[in-house]
Amino acid sequence: MSEVQQSSPPRILIVEDDVEMLELLQNILALVRCQVHIARSGEEALTFLQREAAAGREVDLILLDIMMPEMDGYEMIARVKADPALRNTSIIMTTALNSVSDKTLGLGLGADDYITKPFDPRELLARIDAVMRIRRSEQALRRRNRELAALIEINRMVTSSLDLDEVLEATMRGIREILQVEAGSLVLLDEETGRLVFRKTLSPEQGWVTGRTIRPGEGIVGYVVQSGEPKLVNNVERDPHFLAEVDEETGFTSRAILCVPLTIRNRVIGAIEVINKLDGAFTEQDLELLQAMAASVAVAVDNANLYSELADFAKELERSQAQLVQAEKMAAIGRLAASIAHEINNPLQAIHNSLHLSLREGLEDDKRLQYLSMAQAEVQRLIEIVQRMLDFYRPSRGGAVPTDVNSIVENVLTLAHKRLQYGGVRVLTHLAPDLPPVPVVPDQITQVFLNIVINAIEAMPSGGDLRLETLLSGDGEWVLTSFQDTGQGMSPEQITNLFEPFYTTKPTGTGLGLAISYGIIERHGGAIEVSSRPGQGATFVVKLPVRPALT
Ligand code: ADP
Ligand code: MG
């Protein structure tokens, strides 16, 4: 309960049909500080109470006569307690009845106390005082509950929401709930411009303020952000620091201002200000409450900032990873370039020869046709070669599709065909005939297999054997593709570094092939296993799950 409510005189409604009794009660109440209203009947009293409640004016206490014509006191108690807007009004029964059951009936219906006529004025005042004391502590409790609920709500938002706007909205709702003020706003420091931006206001009428900026140091908010100290000014006109703040556009005058900084790790990141308390002056308790809210909000702002930085970083990382994958693809193509030139050159030669022959004079028509169709077949081969290169080269798009691993192996062998031939590598394939399709991104797996094949070729500078095998694991869960070469092999130390980015033993290597392959296979829910010994060749086994695992 605020000090203001404590100091404002209690509002008491006398409900009494007896004129003399009414006069007596008025005379007694005139002895103490209070505001008295009168009703001559239950109906009149209810109408008055309802009108006051609708206008937001609370009646604290009803002095209620029990014996009245038409609506008696008991019915009146029942009606007050049944109305949510009136329920909290305190009631003291004034009754000439003195039987225990009469008193208990009223108390049972919800009255707070009773006094039996005739009574000593001092007893009446003492009972009023006691009821008001209980009432005040109840009000204080209710208010404290509301404050706590609002604080808990803000804290819940802070821990559960990364949406900054949502958190700020909840904060303003909480402030509205607890502090009865004319206006309020929340400003945040814009790191880039160094200015304070009005991010949220308390009421929609203040909406025009949103987005406006001020300098740190400007006005009370600016002062609070600059000094990092909260500020409670109940008389703005008289404060030496702050001449009355009048907004030139709206004429809105700030009489009283309470402003607290938003601080995180000793850095001020903004402030919350509330202006003109409706029922009096701002108290230390208001300040404490606003500071508690500010502490939560500061954490929320910090979380939201960290989260968006993290999201940016993740995006950046994803982008650079994609670039890396593409770069490694280019490198792989580069390593095939010399052989690709041959691959293209051979059909070109054949086309050249066929066309040359077909142009000879005196050639029979069907011979000419035969040469032309030979040229056409070679052109088709060229188109296929180029298409295959393009398919591989294009950045992969789309997700996993059920794919026959054998067809990927064959595709890779076609891509590397000339390179294998020039490297003197004999390929021995043993592909399982009835493999189930596996869900993969085909060109990614092509990239992995091509890498392993090129590595094998490069590990056998003077030629050798490459044994390629596919098979289904015993439990039917995995498709295994194994690449076994007869090259120089690797030491255990080399094997531990194998998948490290930029680890290479080749003068022109990128060291990215296996690092990227590892990432690709991991994303597919699979694994790459390696076994090798120096001088004994190497075996790479790629395991891919038959059931979808790609995320
Ligand atoms: P790069 O081929 O560009 O060097 P990789 O990541 O593909 O990068 O391979 C890393 C290193 O692993 C190679 O430099 C090589 O030392 C070793 N390596 C890979 N495959 C084999 C293999 N089949 N036999 C021997 N060493 C290999
Ligand atoms: Mg490589």
Side-chain angles (χ1 to χ4, degrees):
M1 170 151 191
S2 76
E3 288 167 17
V4 178
Q5 274 168 312
Q6 280 171 30
S7 60
S8 63
R11 303 184 70 212
I12 301 176
L13 172 66
I14 305 174
V15 188
E16 178 62 70
D17 61 335
D18 183 296
V19 185
E20 275 169 37
M21 190 63 203
L22 184 60
E23 207 169 313
L24 173 66
L25 288 170
Q26 276 180 290
N27 287 337
I28 297 173
L29 290 180
L31 298 172
V32 293
R33 211 168 71 94
C34 66
Q35 199 184 333
V36 178
H37 302 271
I38 294 159
R40 298 305 190 82
S41 67
E43 287 82 2
E44 197 189 321
L46 278 174
T47 312
F48 174 77
L49 288 170
Q50 275 153 359
R51 204 183 57 220
E52 291 298 288
R57 289 189 296 262
E58 208 173 50
V59 170
D60 295 292
L61 173 66
I62 306 172
L63 286 181
L64 178 61
D65 183 18
I66 292 299
M67 302 289 282
M68 290 186 295
E70 279 143 54
M71 188 192 302
D72 70 5
Y74 299 128
E75 189 185 341
M76 166 97 187
I77 297 172
R79 302 255 306 250
V80 166
K81 293 298 160 187
D83 185 333
L86 306 181
R87 179 176 300 158
N88 291 329
T89 320
S90 304
I91 301 176
I92 298 179
M93 301 177 282
T94 57
T95 171
L97 305 172
N98 204 9
S99 80
V100 172
S101 66
D102 288 321
K103 293 171 196 162
T104 52
L105 176 59
L107 293 175
L109 287 169
D112 296 85
D113 202 357
Y114 61 87
I115 186 158
T116 315
K117 300 175 209 173
F119 49 77
D120 185 317
R122 284 170 301 183
E123 186 186 349
L124 177 68
L125 291 178
R127 287 191 185 270
I128 290 177
D129 204 44
V131 167
M132 283 304 294
R133 256 201 323 271
I134 293 172
R135 178 174 178 75
R136 281 189 200 110
S137 49
E138 274 177 359
Q139 278 173 335
L141 268 177
R142 265 199 294 277
R143 190 186 151 87
R144 196 77 201 137
N145 266 344
R146 273 206 309 277
E147 292 172 357
L148 280 176
L151 274 181
I152 287 168
E153 168 66 10
I154 291 172
N155 262 311
R156 197 188 58 76
M157 292 292 285
V158 168
T159 46
S160 69
S161 172
L162 288 168
D163 182 343
L164 182 57
D165 218 56
E166 209 178 329
V167 173
L168 299 185
E169 274 296 335
T171 308
M172 294 324 256
R173 254 201 322 275
I175 292 174
R176 238 188 341 260
E177 226 34 24
I178 298 174
L179 296 170
Q180 301 276 303
V181 292
E182 262 179 43
S185 47
L186 190 151
V187 298
L188 290 181
L189 191 63
D190 184 329
E191 299 270 346
E192 267 162 42
T193 63
R195 291 183 71 85
L196 295 170
V197 186
F198 282 84
R199 283 293 299 267
K200 285 278 173 237
T201 58
L202 211 54
S203 61
E205 298 90 76
Q206 277 183 276
W208 57 272
V209 170
T210 317
R212 280 202 347 177
T213 67
I214 55 170
R215 254 181 317 106
E218 197 176 323
I220 289 183
V221 181
Y223 168 83
V224 165
V225 170
Q226 202 166 51
S227 67
E229 297 291 329
K231 192 80 195 166
L232 191 165
V233 187
N234 265 322
N235 214 324
V236 174
E237 300 102 279
R238 262 186 251 145
D239 193 279
H241 284 74
F242 316 104
L243 298 172
E245 297 207 334
V246 182
D247 191 276
E248 278 156 25
E249 280 168 51
T250 60
F252 181 86
T253 313
S254 307
R255 285 175 281 102
I257 296 183
L258 175 57
C259 185
V260 300
L262 297 170
T263 311
I264 196 91
R265 290 185 290 273
N266 291 327
R267 223 161 39 83
V268 182
I269 56 168
I272 304 179
E273 107 182 299
V274 288
I275 303 172
N276 298 354
K277 191 157 167 181
L278 293 180
D279 55 359
F282 287 116
T283 62
E284 281 298 317
Q285 202 187 344
D286 295 332
L287 175 68
E288 265 171 36
L289 200 64
L290 206 57
Q291 278 181 311
M293 288 188 185
S296 295
V297 173
V299 172
V301 173
D302 197 41
N303 277 350
N305 286 342
L306 288 178
Y307 179 72
S308 84
E309 266 172 39
L310 203 64
D312 286 350
F313 180 66
K315 232 179 266 159
E316 183 58 37
L317 201 65
E318 210 171 284
R319 210 175 18 243
S320 45
Q321 264 176 358
Q323 280 170 353
L324 212 58
V325 170
Q326 193 57 20
E328 170 55 27
K329 264 190 193 176
M330 283 204 257
I333 295 278
R335 276 145 125 159
L336 292 175
S339 61
I340 287 168
H342 286 285
E343 184 124 26
I344 291 174
N345 205 36
N346 289 355
L348 276 180
Q349 275 302 327
I351 292 165
H352 180 79
N353 292 343
S354 304
L355 291 179
H356 185 74
L357 287 172
S358 73
L359 287 175
R360 272 207 321 221
E361 280 190 37
L363 199 65
E364 283 167 21
D365 272 358
D366 51 341
K367 251 300 184 226
R368 199 187 306 277
L369 216 59
Q370 194 190 332
Y371 288 135
L372 283 175
S373 69
M374 275 165 62
Q376 196 184 25
E378 290 301 316
V379 167
Q380 190 56 43
R381 222 179 103 195
L382 263 184
I383 290 174
E384 273 164 25
I385 292 167
V386 171
Q387 190 58 48
R388 207 187 302 277
M389 299 306 308
L390 288 178
D391 279 349
F392 170 67
Y393 183 68
R394 199 178 296 127
S396 59
R397 230 173 277 133
V401 287
T403 307
D404 174 19
V405 170
N406 286 343
S407 73
I408 294 184
V409 171
E410 273 152 14
N411 192 26
V412 166
L413 289 178
T414 317
L415 278 169
H417 158 246
K418 281 286 162 187
R419 180 71 181 79
L420 287 160
Q421 201 175 310
Y422 290 117
V425 175
R426 189 165 60 142
V427 179
L428 309 157
T429 53
H430 194 279
L431 306 183
D434 43 13
L435 285 181
V438 288
V440 297
V441 183
D443 73 287
Q444 289 184 355
I445 302 303
T446 306
Q447 184 175 2
V448 172
F449 287 4
L450 188 63
N451 253 308
I452 295 175
V453 167
I454 293 175
N455 280 345
I457 299 169
E458 288 170 345
M460 302 182 283
S462 42
D465 286 350
L466 173 60
R467 209 174 284 275
L468 256 161
E469 204 176 323
T470 58
L471 65 113
L472 186 64
S473 67
D475 58 10
E477 299 275 356
W478 306 90
V479 167
L480 312 182
T481 311
S482 124
F483 308 77
Q484 187 182 2
D485 66 53
T486 56
Q488 69 216 9
M490 284 170 282
S491 66
E493 197 240 323
Q494 267 179 297
I495 292 178
T496 48
N497 290 321
L498 206 53
F499 296 103
E500 292 293 321
F502 307 114
Y503 173 76
T504 179
T505 55
K506 302 165 194 171
T508 56
T510 63
L512 288 174
L514 286 175
I516 285 167
S517 299
Y518 184 87
I520 290 174
I521 298 303
E522 196 176 48
R523 278 199 299 283
H524 280 78
I528 306 181
E529 285 160 8
V530 190
S531 54
S532 177
R533 253 184 283 158
Q536 304 271 306
T539 304
F540 285 77
V541 179
V542 176
K543 293 171 70 175
L544 288 165
V546 172
R547 277 186 278 208
L550 202 65
T551 45

